[in-house]
Amino acid sequence: MRNIKMSIEYDGGRYQGWQRLGDSDKTIQGKIENILSEMTKTNIEIVGSGRTDAGTHAKGQVANFKTTSNLDLVAMRDYLNTYLPRDIIVKELEEVPERFHARYNVVGKKYSYYVWNTAVPSAFERNYSYHYPEQLDVDRMNEACSKLIGTHDFIGFSSLKKTKKSTVRTIDEITIHREGDLLNFTFIGEGFLYKMVRIIMGTLLEIGAGTKSPECIDAIFKSGVRSDAGMTVPSQGLFLDEVYYD
Amino acid sequence: MRNIKMSIEYDGGRYQGWQRLGDSDKTIQGKIENILSEMTKTNIEIVGSGRTDAGTHAKGQVANFKTTSNLDLVAMRDYLNTYLPRDIIVKELEEVPERFHARYNVVGKKYSYYVWNTAVPSAFERNYSYHYPEQLDVDRMNEACSKLIGTHDFIGFSSLKKTKKSTVRTIDEITIHREGDLLNFTFIGEGFLYKMVRIIMGTLLEIGAGTKSPECIDAIFKSGVRSDAGMTVPSQGLFLDEVYYD
């Protein structure tokens, strides 16, 4: 049995997210499994590094699948890219040891969030950023970021209800970078809770705009209450950039 | 009568081009005229700097229109951007002297063409570049560009039939710039014939890939025959970047 690791890029705009939902044809996983199954004339299931939400994009999603097919990897990649919709691209295939598991073996992830930060919207960034016209104080947001970095209980920054599973996570790095009217926020960490990046982003924007203070981060950690944090920003600004393995 | 100059950005992917075609709702000019007419409760016609083809984008198309409305320019811009589709954006409005004419007063234009130049396609550049996987020799293309620059009869690089109007044009500058897998070609000149940039691009790509020589440019100027030049590359890689006035 060969174990094949895939690196995948997708424009999530038209999809209900990564994870296959029954027979739905509107998920990234479903689209890829269908083509792989046709290609190999067997029923292929792929394991993704984790879900991405409806509308979220990926530049470096990772998945793996097992197959007895002995097709050459470049031929396989080209077959996939020929039959997949143009908004899902298999960038690379690699044969890996049988024990490799795209979800269990993740040691970290990098996400980007893009904000179009000027009065007039953009025709080209409209589907790949969130238009937020308010003036943003980057120093205030960086102050809040320094409080977010580290190991904390992020329950207040997630849409999870109280749960038995741990909601403690570690964020290693947050950066904010402006290029013209486009602000790029990056988040690197071991793992993130459901909607955590988008709720942190909504909170950072309110801090940058002056309606919340950087100190509210400490208060949200303390209370663990979702409504103390900011809004959930739209998924079209979010990109899964990279998944890290040992 | 106020004369108002507009700077417009659009993703041309869904449109039949700039120029209004009868009652068609699928042109950029038509969309803008409809909203301006609703806004002013009068029948507004706008004059563009020139047409762009179906599928071609613009970052800096310019147009002007006359109106008796005394609405504030920022309110006007925000009204337009609220009611226009999200892929057409009015970046700026400016009041100009009554004699300003967006087409007659053009002194130059800048176009960009983007080529996605690697084996694997891109999910994000798919609608904003032409995927050309062949390896390209930039030195050979630059050699051809130095022959294209200057004043020449570009009839062989256009899809015009022999015409009484002059097909002599001047190209002032062509640049080729690589950023990762994306190649950006820019063209600055007084004016360009119908499909001229896209046919020059098709010819440059064949020169870069080695199937034509840089010297073929001289031969096309000499013969004036369209079929001596390269293919017309797809419109989705073309952007009208800027229109120059005195």
Side-chain angles (χ1 to χ4, degrees):
Chain A
M1 208 68 155
R2 295 164 86 194
N3 188 9
I4 296 173
K5 179 182 171 188
M6 336 174 66
S7 167
I8 308 151
E9 175 179 280
Y10 47 85
D11 177 337
R14 296 195 303 137
Y15 299 97
Q16 291 179 286
W18 168 264
Q19 196 177 42
R20 179 166 214 134
L21 302 161
D23 287 334
S24 168
D25 203 22
K26 294 211 163 157
T27 67
I28 324 287
Q29 185 186 7
K31 288 281 182 196
I32 298 174
E33 286 181 348
N34 290 348
I35 308 293
L36 274 175
S37 299
E38 280 170 35
M39 184 182 78
T40 58
K41 319 278 184 222
T42 57
N43 190 27
I44 301 272
E45 282 180 39
I46 66 178
V47 174
S49 74
R51 308 176 188 187
T52 55
D53 292 343
T56 295
H57 315 292
K59 290 194 175 169
Q61 171 67 295
V62 174
N64 75 299
F65 65 95
K66 301 202 171 174
T67 180
T68 53
S69 157
N70 45 30
L71 253 176
D72 168 78
L73 293 180
V74 170
M76 222 182 247
R77 181 197 74 193
D78 292 347
Y79 182 100
L80 285 160
N81 289 330
T82 302
Y83 292 103
L84 280 169
R86 293 172 62 236
D87 47 12
I88 303 176
I89 302 288
V90 174
K91 306 278 280 184
E92 214 187 330
L93 294 177
E94 188 192 346
E95 204 158 337
V96 287
E98 200 162 346
R99 69 182 178 280
F100 175 82
H101 188 284
R103 188 168 72 251
Y104 299 155
N105 297 160
V106 173
V107 297
K109 285 186 180 176
K110 181 183 173 193
Y111 283 94
S112 271
Y113 197 89
Y114 292 90
V115 174
W116 183 253
N117 185 227
T118 185
V120 179
S122 162
F124 299 107
E125 300 299 335
R126 72 190 193 284
N127 296 327
Y128 307 108
S129 67
Y130 171 46
H131 181 214
Y132 191 81
E134 259 66 57
Q135 211 180 323
L136 292 168
D137 181 334
V138 174
D139 290 341
R140 272 171 75 90
M141 293 193 288
N142 273 324
E143 201 187 325
C145 290
S146 69
K147 294 173 181 290
L148 288 160
I149 289 168
T151 302
H152 306 278
D153 184 345
F154 283 94
I155 181 90
F157 294 98
S158 92
S159 46
L160 295 164
K161 309 281 160 214
K162 285 271 175 214
T163 162
K164 278 189 187 162
K165 283 195 188 171
S166 170
T167 48
V168 172
R169 292 290 184 276
T170 302
I171 299 184
D172 296 312
E173 196 185 300
I174 309 178
T175 66
I176 307 176
H177 176 75
R178 179 180 281 278
E179 217 178 296
D181 294 325
L182 196 63
L183 271 171
N184 172 215
F185 295 72
T186 67
F187 298 85
I188 297 180
E190 236 188 311
F192 297 87
L193 302 171
Y194 185 50
K195 292 200 178 159
M196 175 172 148
V197 175
R198 289 161 60 194
I199 297 170
I200 289 178
M201 271 306 309
T203 312
L204 287 176
L205 291 178
E206 291 181 40
I207 292 167
T211 53
K212 282 194 190 311
S213 72
E215 290 68 36
C216 81
I217 301 295
D218 305 312
I220 301 161
F221 283 143
K222 209 171 163 193
S223 74
V225 169
R226 166 69 189 92
S227 58
D228 290 344
M231 62 174 166
T232 306
V233 293
S235 58
Q236 91 256 6
L238 185 62
F239 289 71
L240 172 56
D241 280 341
E242 226 175 315
V243 184
Y244 305 110
Y245 297 93
D246 266 336
Chain B
M1 205 69 155
R2 294 163 87 194
N3 189 11
I4 296 174
K5 179 182 171 189
M6 336 174 66
S7 169
I8 308 151
E9 175 179 281
Y10 47 86
D11 178 337
R14 296 194 306 135
Y15 299 97
Q16 292 178 288
W18 168 265
Q19 196 179 41
R20 179 165 214 134
L21 302 162
D23 287 333
S24 167
D25 203 21
K26 295 213 163 155
T27 67
I28 324 287
Q29 184 186 7
K31 288 281 182 196
I32 298 174
E33 285 181 349
N34 290 349
I35 308 294
L36 274 176
S37 299
E38 280 169 37
M39 183 183 77
T40 58
K41 318 279 182 220
T42 58
N43 190 26
I44 301 272
E45 281 180 39
I46 66 178
V47 174
S49 73
R51 307 176 189 185
T52 55
D53 292 343
T56 295
H57 315 291
K59 291 193 173 168
Q61 171 67 294
V62 174
N64 75 299
F65 65 95
K66 302 202 170 175
T67 181
T68 52
S69 157
N70 45 30
L71 254 176
D72 168 76
L73 293 180
V74 169
M76 220 182 249
R77 181 197 72 190
D78 292 346
Y79 183 100
L80 284 160
N81 289 330
T82 301
Y83 292 103
L84 279 169
R86 292 173 61 237
D87 48 11
I88 303 176
I89 302 288
V90 174
K91 307 278 281 184
E92 213 187 331
L93 294 177
E94 189 192 345
E95 202 157 339
V96 288
E98 201 163 343
R99 67 180 182 284
F100 175 82
H101 189 283
R103 190 166 71 250
Y104 299 155
N105 297 161
V106 174
V107 298
K109 284 185 180 173
K110 180 182 172 192
Y111 283 95
S112 272
Y113 197 89
Y114 291 89
V115 174
W116 183 254
N117 185 224
T118 186
V120 179
S122 163
F124 299 106
E125 299 300 334
R126 71 190 194 283
N127 296 329
Y128 307 108
S129 67
Y130 171 46
H131 181 215
Y132 191 81
E134 258 66 55
Q135 210 180 325
L136 291 168
D137 180 334
V138 174
D139 290 341
R140 273 172 75 91
M141 294 193 287
N142 273 324
E143 202 188 322
C145 290
S146 68
K147 293 173 182 291
L148 287 161
I149 288 167
T151 304
H152 306 279
D153 184 344
F154 282 93
I155 180 90
F157 293 97
S158 92
S159 46
L160 295 164
K161 309 281 161 214
K162 284 274 174 212
T163 163
K164 278 188 184 161
K165 284 194 187 170
S166 170
T167 49
V168 172
R169 291 290 185 278
T170 302
I171 298 184
D172 295 312
E173 195 184 302
I174 308 177
T175 66
I176 307 176
H177 177 74
R178 179 181 283 277
E179 218 178 296
D181 294 324
L182 196 64
L183 271 171
N184 172 217
F185 295 74
T186 67
F187 297 85
I188 298 180
E190 236 188 310
F192 296 86
L193 302 171
Y194 184 51
K195 293 199 176 160
M196 177 170 146
V197 175
R198 288 161 61 194
I199 298 170
I200 289 178
M201 271 306 309
T203 311
L204 286 176
L205 291 178
E206 292 182 37
I207 292 167
T211 54
K212 282 196 191 308
S213 72
E215 290 69 35
C216 82
I217 301 294
D218 305 313
I220 302 161
F221 283 144
K222 211 173 161 193
S223 73
V225 169
R226 166 70 189 89
S227 58
D228 291 344
M231 61 175 166
T232 307
V233 292
S235 58
Q236 92 257 6
L238 186 62
F239 288 72
L240 172 56
D241 280 340
E242 226 176 316
V243 183
Y244 304 110
Y245 297 94
D246 266 335

